[in-house]
Amino acid sequence: SEHLQQARIPSGSQEKVSVPDSVLEMSESQVAVAPLVTSKLSVKAPEFYPSGYNQNFAVSDSSFEDGYDGYLTLAEYVQDFLNHLAEQPGCFETEIEQFAETVNGWVTADETLQELVELVYQQATSVPNFSYMGARLCNYLSHHLTISPQSGNFRQLLLQRCQTEYENRDEAAKGDETARKQFHAFVLFLAELYLNLEIKGTKGQVTRAEILQEGLRELLNVLFSHPVDNNLMCAVKLLKV
């Protein structure tokens, strides 16, 4: 405004006003210069992994492609794969064939077959939300394991293991908190097993194991016979399945 007054030009005039260079120089000198920021990031920093990601397992993923190389026991190999399925259930379709092929080369005796059944059963009844995946795995192995000893094939041994737990249903339903929790996990796994375990008939027809449905009906009665809160909650979950 001071320059406008000196030039005697009204403030509303459209004429161009010449601004001295000294004014521009003064304005430029007053512009703040942003300080240079030095990054603390390094190209040598370790790889980033999101929370919950199992870095150790990522290293061993290739083990499933190479069979059981690097594993000392069947239990180590199977447990590693079961943990892998629990963390990444989407890999079931792409890796189950290789897993079954490897297990077929390892399970060649009654003892190892029984060990395999127990490993799968424990995973399906102890790891939260693994009952469905465990049932799918059991169905696949029951059709693709080649070993069939006189003591029973995979499906027969699995049902025998479930029968052992089934016979203790009354004691478990009225037991302490830990006993009931284990019992509930068994009930829900058996429900998933009934839905997913396919039995092929002599003519190639596929049916379900009807004996499991009868067992589930009895388990439901046992849960209602001991109507504490978590027994009733398990009964409702069973009905939903």
Side-chain angles (χ1 to χ4, degrees):
S1 62
E2 183 178 351
H3 288 289
L4 290 175
Q5 291 176 1
Q6 291 178 357
R8 295 181 180 179
I9 299 176
S11 57
S13 173
Q14 299 299 320
E15 295 185 27
K16 295 183 179 180
V17 179
S18 175
V19 180
D21 293 340
S22 59
V23 175
L24 294 176
E25 293 174 359
M26 178 183 66
S27 300
E28 292 176 356
S29 64
Q30 291 176 346
V31 176
V33 179
L36 181 63
V37 178
T38 303
S39 173
K40 296 182 180 180
L41 299 178
S42 171
V43 294
K44 298 181 180 180
E47 257 185 285
F48 168 75
Y49 293 96
S51 60
Y53 184 80
N54 191 337
Q55 182 179 355
N56 294 329
F57 193 85
V59 176
S60 63
D61 277 351
S62 59
S63 301
F64 296 115
E65 299 175 2
D66 301 332
Y68 49 84
D69 294 344
Y71 289 93
L72 299 178
T73 65
L74 170 69
E76 291 177 348
Y77 174 72
V78 173
Q79 191 60 59
D80 213 9
F81 183 73
L82 293 176
N83 294 339
H84 179 46
L85 281 183
E87 294 179 0
Q88 302 180 39
C91 73
F92 182 90
E93 298 292 345
T94 57
E95 299 185 22
I96 187 61
E97 184 176 352
Q98 175 63 48
F99 173 74
E101 182 180 339
T102 301
V103 170
N104 268 323
W106 207 326
V107 178
T108 57
D110 295 8
E111 293 78 10
T112 49
L113 179 59
Q114 186 67 57
E115 183 181 15
L116 175 63
V117 169
E118 187 63 25
L119 286 168
V120 175
Y121 176 86
Q122 290 298 332
Q123 183 86 356
T125 57
S126 61
V127 176
N129 303 319
F130 196 78
S131 56
Y132 167 71
M133 184 61 65
R136 288 186 65 192
L137 178 62
C138 288
N139 181 60
Y140 191 93
L141 293 177
S142 70
H143 293 293
H144 292 84
L145 283 185
T146 55
I147 183 174
S148 183
Q150 292 183 350
S151 59
N153 57 28
F154 179 88
R155 184 179 69 248
Q156 292 168 332
L157 292 179
L158 175 67
L159 294 179
Q160 289 176 18
R161 179 65 179 87
C162 293
Q163 177 68 26
T164 301
E165 203 72 24
Y166 176 80
E167 292 174 352
N168 297 324
R169 58 192 181 279
D170 288 308
E171 292 76 9
K174 62 184 179 183
D176 59 17
E177 189 74 20
T178 301
R180 291 200 305 270
K181 184 177 180 180
Q182 293 174 348
F183 176 60
H184 299 158
F186 161 69
V187 170
L188 297 178
F189 171 59
L190 202 67
E192 294 290 0
L193 204 59
Y194 169 68
L195 294 177
N196 289 277
L197 190 61
E198 299 174 339
I199 299 178
K200 293 183 178 180
T202 55
K203 298 182 180 180
Q205 73 276 21
V206 176
T207 61
R208 291 176 176 170
E210 296 300 329
I211 190 173
L212 294 183
Q213 188 184 54
E214 297 176 10
L216 289 170
R217 185 183 301 113
E218 180 57 31
L219 291 174
L220 192 61
N221 291 334
V222 169
L223 290 168
F224 283 133
S225 298
H226 305 284
V228 295
D229 285 354
N230 55 4
N231 278 350
L232 296 178
M233 291 174 65
C234 179
V236 171
K237 290 180 181 179
L238 173 57
L239 290 172
K240 289 174 67 177
V241 173

